[in-house]
Amino acid sequence: FSPSERLQLMASPSLSDEARAQIAAYLEQGKTDSALIMVCDRKTSVVTVKDQLEDASPEDVAEELSGLPRLILYRRNVKVDEVKTQEYLFHIFFNPLDAPVDIKRLYSAARTYVHNEFKWLKDHGREVELNDERDFNDVWMAVKVRGLTGKSGAPLPGQKSTFVYKENSI
């Protein structure tokens, strides 16, 4: 990029009017297993909607992701425990590790802008970051909902130890 193009990349992001209307409609409709995939133009820093998916599994959404960052709104029923399933709205920042740093910065700013622009999304959405599209599945979402960082192992068994003091043993 030339110096003027780099300055443009650092410009604060904005939403196109069409994207603003599509996001507002998506948040109002509340349809489970639907996704809204957004892109941010490198030159203008304007966020637009690239695709809207209906009846989409996590694998369907992952297929739509390329090697470049994306912003995704995804509504999905997630199994919270053995009995309860609850609907969640995920605001996902797809941030592949091998993406150029200037593009990552642009999308990070766009993520924050979109998240703050819609109060409902800010109050009720689960904001998460995804680095590898192969990780995007129901298990990953359940972990993010629960706030877990990994799988817990079985508890360690307790050990009983006794010490017998003998007066002349020292």
Side-chain angles (χ1 to χ4, degrees):
F1 292 103
S2 70
S4 63
E5 288 174 326
R6 286 191 188 279
L7 281 175
Q8 188 66 31
L9 279 174
M10 292 188 295
S12 59
S14 63
L15 278 168
S16 69
D17 293 337
E18 184 179 342
R20 186 179 306 280
Q22 285 177 301
I23 294 169
Y26 178 84
L27 293 175
E28 287 176 15
Q29 89 184 36
K31 191 170 183 183
T32 304
D33 293 335
S34 61
L36 203 62
I37 300 174
M38 296 169 277
V39 296
C40 189
D41 186 88
R42 291 180 186 190
K43 294 185 179 189
T44 62
S45 299
V46 174
V47 176
T48 58
V49 174
K50 177 186 174 231
D51 204 359
Q52 186 164 356
L53 305 174
E54 302 293 331
D55 299 321
S57 69
E59 291 77 20
D60 295 335
V61 175
E63 285 178 12
E64 297 294 321
L65 302 176
S66 62
L68 292 175
R70 296 284 181 259
L71 301 174
I72 306 157
L73 294 179
Y74 186 52
R75 195 180 301 270
R76 179 87 172 161
N77 284 328
V78 176
K79 192 169 185 170
V80 177
D81 57 29
E82 288 73 28
V83 178
K84 186 177 179 184
T85 299
Q86 185 172 340
E87 182 180 273
Y88 286 93
L89 174 63
F90 291 92
H91 180 203
I92 303 164
F93 173 34
F94 176 58
N95 184 22
L97 296 175
D98 59 349
V101 173
D102 52 348
I103 303 300
K104 287 182 175 197
R105 286 185 187 140
L106 173 67
Y107 272 85
S108 179
R111 170 193 60 179
T112 303
Y113 179 80
V114 170
H115 194 73
N116 291 334
E117 191 69 15
F118 294 92
K119 182 172 176 24
W120 196 93
L121 179 61
K122 188 174 182 178
D123 293 344
H124 303 289
R126 296 283 180 151
E127 188 176 12
V128 293
E129 185 172 327
L130 174 67
N131 298 115
D132 190 342
E133 66 270 8
R134 294 172 294 186
D135 293 337
F136 192 56
N137 55 43
D138 284 319
V139 173
W140 178 84
M141 286 188 282
V143 166
K144 294 300 180 181
V145 164
R146 293 180 187 155
L148 302 176
T149 58
K151 185 175 180 182
S152 296
L156 296 173
Q159 291 184 341
K160 181 179 178 185
S161 60
T162 58
F163 178 75
V164 178
Y165 176 73
K166 293 184 180 179
E167 201 170 303
N168 294 328
S169 63
I170 300 179

